[in-house]
Amino acid sequence: MPVYYDTQIDSALMLGTAQYPSPAIMAQAFHAAQAGIATVSLRREGGAGQDFHKLIKGLNIPVLPNTAGCHSVREAVTTAQMARELFETPWIKLEIIRDDDTLCPDVVALVEAARILSDDGFQVFPYCTEDLSVCGRLVDAGCRVLMPWGAPIGSGRGLNNVYGLRSVRAHFPDIPLVVDAGIGLPSHAAQAMELGYDGVLLNTAVAKAGDPVAMARAMALAIEAGRLAHQATPIEARDMAAPSTPVFGMAALGQGGMA
Amino acid sequence: MKITLNGEARDLAGPSVSDALIQIGLGTAKVATALNGSFLPAAARATTTLNEGDALEVVAPMQGG
């Protein structure tokens, strides 16, 4: 099971807390998913925050606050500082957006903010792209977890660049890796785990499913299947067929006159 | 004094940020604050005086992905 900044987590699934039909369904989905971490955010207090805080406490799992919606280093750093105080955790899912259509991370700002926050004692979980240079810069900046996207947030497109994600895994064998965003189906989540990723972070795929609780369970099963598959060392794909049934000992039945 | 609270113009007596939070009913609420774009720790609210035109952000836990 994954270890993030010396904290062992009992599940490879990080689950978001947004967009559920109701707080009760959210809680049931977390239970069904056996999620190890809950992602949360900060927004202007309009009256709902206090009840939500109690709901999150009731989940009894670590929370990972995010800086969703931030477009600059300064916004993200200030948001992280507020989150640390509010949620009493040094963990921060660092998210700085450059492009609003794709919610593509601003990787330049991300590296700068990651350095500022790491130097200030934060334990940064950067939402990044699968670019090896960016991932390297983030590690240089102090990140001990990387969270490359599978596809744009909420798109449900799965793993857009399997080669790239595999490369990140190969280049950073000792850094916990999480596919964050873009997961739509359990098969996508299983694929991420089959690549050797340590975890998957998803929200929309469960919260907006017709039956979020059932989908939460499906995701949990897929993630476990993918994790076991990776540990079991899958076979390499090949172009030519290779019979699985032994050829030796086959009865000679084709030499008669029936052709 | 006139300040901007979470993006809206408000007239609050203050004088401290702690006083202002009490005045808007969030004296004991689980919130975090930023003053003019910079984080203001909870421990500093009582000794931080609001000034005319300040922008105060008061945020709370919310759903997120």
Side-chain angles (χ1 to χ4, degrees):
Chain A
M1 285 298 168
V3 177
Y4 305 120
Y5 293 100
D6 298 326
T7 298
Q8 180 160 338
I9 303 297
D10 294 333
S11 161
L13 175 58
M14 299 183 183
L15 191 56
T17 55
Q19 306 185 89
Y20 292 85
S22 72
I25 289 175
M26 187 204 90
Q28 288 172 39
F30 268 81
H31 183 71
Q34 292 291 298
I37 291 173
T39 58
V40 294
S41 74
L42 298 179
R43 286 295 179 262
R44 287 169 169 170
E45 174 59 304
Q50 307 307 306
D51 284 346
F52 179 69
H53 188 251
K54 288 191 194 114
L55 184 65
I56 290 302
K57 282 272 187 192
L59 295 177
N60 210 22
I61 55 176
V63 297
L64 176 59
N66 68 29
T67 63
C70 289
H71 285 71
S72 70
V73 172
R74 185 171 190 214
E75 270 183 302
V77 168
T78 302
T79 300
Q81 290 167 328
M82 291 194 288
R84 178 164 63 179
E85 183 182 89
L86 206 45
F87 293 104
E88 297 167 31
T89 175
W91 286 6
I92 190 75
K93 176 184 162 180
L94 184 60
E95 197 175 328
I96 304 179
I97 299 303
R98 171 72 182 183
D99 176 70
D100 285 329
D101 287 333
T102 60
L103 297 178
C104 182
D106 181 338
V107 293
V108 175
L110 191 66
V111 170
E112 186 182 343
R115 181 170 290 111
I116 292 168
L117 292 170
S118 296
D119 289 349
D120 190 23
F122 282 89
Q123 296 176 339
V124 179
F125 294 62
Y127 163 64
C128 57
T129 60
E130 72 280 20
D131 183 293
L132 288 178
S133 303
V134 168
C135 288
R137 295 282 183 187
L138 288 166
V139 171
D140 291 347
C143 296
R144 291 296 171 267
V145 178
L146 294 170
M147 302 211 298
W149 63 350
I153 296 170
S155 70
R157 297 178 62 85
L159 310 186
N160 266 349
N161 181 3
V162 173
Y163 167 80
L165 291 170
R166 186 181 285 126
S167 296
V168 174
R169 178 71 286 174
H171 279 77
F172 301 96
D174 301 324
I175 299 282
L177 298 179
V178 179
V179 168
D180 176 8
I183 301 291
L185 292 168
S187 53
H188 302 152
Q191 189 182 18
M193 298 303 292
E194 287 165 2
L195 293 175
Y197 275 61
D198 298 275
V200 170
L201 197 168
L202 56 89
N203 188 158
T204 309
V206 165
K208 300 297 272 186
D211 184 341
V213 179
M215 187 59 83
R217 176 81 178 128
M219 289 293 183
L221 291 169
I223 287 168
E224 184 61 7
R227 195 177 71 83
L228 288 171
H230 176 72
Q231 287 177 349
T233 313
I235 63 164
E236 294 294 326
R238 50 184 286 165
D239 290 332
M240 301 300 288
S244 51
T245 303
V247 176
F248 178 77
M250 188 174 173
L253 306 173
Q255 278 93 38
M258 296 276 292
Chain B
M1 83 203 74
K2 290 186 173 58
I3 68 160
T4 302
L5 172 69
N6 284 351
E8 292 183 5
R10 291 288 294 264
D11 201 342
L12 298 176
S16 74
V17 173
S18 290
D19 297 326
L21 288 178
I22 293 167
Q23 287 150 21
I24 61 174
L26 295 175
T28 59
K30 191 84 178 165
V31 293
T33 49
L35 186 59
N36 300 322
S38 295
F39 173 55
L40 181 69
R45 289 176 198 154
T47 54
T48 301
T49 304
L50 283 169
N51 295 304
E52 189 84 14
D54 275 350
L56 179 64
E57 292 285 337
V58 181
V59 299
M62 211 60 66
Q63 293 86 350

